Amino acid sequence: RMNELDKSKDYVMVCRSGGRSGQATQFLEDQGFNVTNMDGGMMNYEGETK
């Protein structure tokens, strides 16, 4: 579904622990997308910061 993404936008990849989203981040970066992996995934998420 990569063709549905816009290369002019920034994306954050998230999974449970950060491993799979890290692989997806690397793949999309290799394709020219601006992507950030959320380190630690949802297991480290503590909610929004203000």
Side-chain angles (χ1 to χ4, degrees):
R1 299 190 62 174
M2 170 177 67
N3 63 333
E4 298 175 22
L5 300 176
D6 182 347
K7 285 188 178 180
S8 69
K9 294 184 178 182
D10 298 335
Y11 294 95
V12 176
M13 302 300 288
V14 182
C15 71
R16 182 176 168 271
S17 63
R20 287 168 292 157
S21 59
Q23 293 175 357
T25 296
Q26 186 62 56
F27 174 79
L28 289 172
E29 283 178 342
D30 291 346
Q31 307 306 311
F33 290 92
N34 187 18
V35 187
T36 302
N37 184 38
M38 188 172 116
D39 291 334
M42 291 306 295
M43 292 177 66
N44 284 351
Y45 182 68
E46 296 178 6
E48 285 189 44
T49 58
K50 294 184 181 186

